[in-house]
Amino acid sequence: MHFLSEDLDTYVVNHSENEPELLQQLTRETYQKILQPRMLSGHYQGRVLSMISKLINPKTILEIGTYTGYSALCLAEGMQKEGELHTIDINEELVDFQRKYFDKSEFGKQIHQHLGNALDIIPTLNKTYDLVFIDADKENYSAYFELIIERLNPGGIILSDNVLWSGKILDTSFKKDDTSTPALIAYNTLLKNDLRVETVLLPIRDGLTISRKK
């Protein structure tokens, strides 16, 4: 998704907060060793996530979809000193990679990894949350929402990534084997119409929705 010219996009990044050194290292190693490095939140979106978390100052954070841990570290920057972040991913091969960078950060003891299907894991955590970040399989976005909305504290925030899906959400004639696009169309409609939340969709990178529980 290119909403701005390359020059304007560069200007935006250059006039936003610098990317911390640890996250630069994580980015380099992800591109060197891990498949699909484009899944990283990246410098600019990472600073957006960090700023939102700092504004909320959450005590409890839930992340659905860890990948290599970049976004978790960004969200942890705004967490309260006694706070905790629970992050869930289904890819066993990434667990040690994530842990290495979590432990290099100041938040290592506050970040708890969970391996497996988030739909199975979330009910077992027995927690409520101030901030939730959804960035996993698109087909289950609506299911994740229904699972976490009652576990979200009043005034709590859900951040949903990739909600513009490279513009494919405008294409109602998607291919039959494309399950992600219709799922995201349905999810965006759900967020717009669900009276339990108020929602703003931001055209940041591939689309980032902020939903606040009333």
Side-chain angles (χ1 to χ4, degrees):
M1 295 295 289
H2 298 284
F3 301 105
L4 302 175
S5 68
E6 185 175 344
D7 289 342
L8 270 177
D9 189 73
T10 299
Y11 183 90
V12 167
V13 173
N14 288 343
H15 289 78
S16 297
E17 194 70 14
N18 292 334
E19 183 181 33
E21 173 60 29
L22 179 63
L23 294 179
Q24 293 178 34
Q25 295 174 16
L26 191 160
T27 297
R28 284 194 294 270
E29 189 169 359
T30 297
Y31 271 83
Q32 290 168 355
K33 299 179 179 179
I34 309 298
L35 293 174
Q36 297 180 296
R38 288 182 65 255
M39 290 173 59
L40 273 176
S41 291
H43 174 188
Y44 178 65
Q45 184 170 336
R47 292 306 86 202
V48 171
L49 295 177
S50 171
M51 180 66 76
I52 292 173
S53 184
K54 288 171 181 173
L55 291 170
I56 298 168
N57 191 215
K59 185 174 182 180
T60 51
I61 302 174
L62 173 65
E63 178 184 55
I64 305 173
T66 315
Y67 191 46
T68 55
Y70 191 104
S71 54
L73 289 170
C74 294
L75 295 169
E77 292 177 23
M79 185 167 51
Q80 295 180 22
K81 288 184 178 180
E82 302 302 320
E84 55 185 45
L85 185 154
H86 293 264
T87 183
I88 305 170
D89 202 277
I90 202 164
N91 191 341
E92 184 176 2
E93 295 179 357
L94 294 177
V95 171
D96 291 341
F97 187 102
Q98 300 158 5
R99 191 74 254 169
K100 179 174 74 170
Y101 280 93
F102 292 160
D103 287 344
K104 282 185 176 183
S105 77
E106 60 186 287
F107 313 109
K109 293 181 180 179
Q110 296 169 270
I111 299 178
H112 306 280
Q113 295 163 282
H114 302 275
L115 177 65
N117 188 320
L119 295 174
D120 297 327
I121 292 171
I122 292 170
T124 70
L125 298 179
N126 194 28
K127 294 183 178 297
T128 60
Y129 304 96
D130 301 311
L131 176 60
V132 177
F133 183 44
I134 303 177
D135 187 17
D137 54 313
K138 313 312 167 190
E139 291 84 354
N140 277 318
Y141 267 33
S142 293
Y144 295 140
F145 175 84
E146 295 295 350
L147 192 57
I148 64 179
I149 187 63
E150 296 305 322
R151 294 172 170 83
L152 190 66
N153 294 323
I157 299 294
I158 300 173
L159 302 175
S160 309
D161 200 16
N162 304 119
V163 291
L164 292 179
W165 206 227
S166 300
K168 287 186 284 188
I169 41 81
L170 296 177
D171 182 11
T172 56
S173 60
F174 38 80
K175 298 178 181 178
K176 289 183 179 180
D177 60 347
D178 178 2
T179 56
S180 297
T181 300
L184 283 169
I185 292 172
Y187 180 67
N188 291 338
T189 301
L190 169 64
L191 292 183
K192 169 66 175 175
N193 295 332
D194 196 301
L195 298 180
R196 294 170 291 183
V197 294
E198 51 185 320
T199 290
V200 175
L201 198 164
L202 304 177
I204 293 175
R205 291 298 187 262
D206 197 23
L208 180 70
T209 295
I210 303 178
S211 303
R212 176 184 178 273
K213 185 174 180 179
K214 297 179 181 178

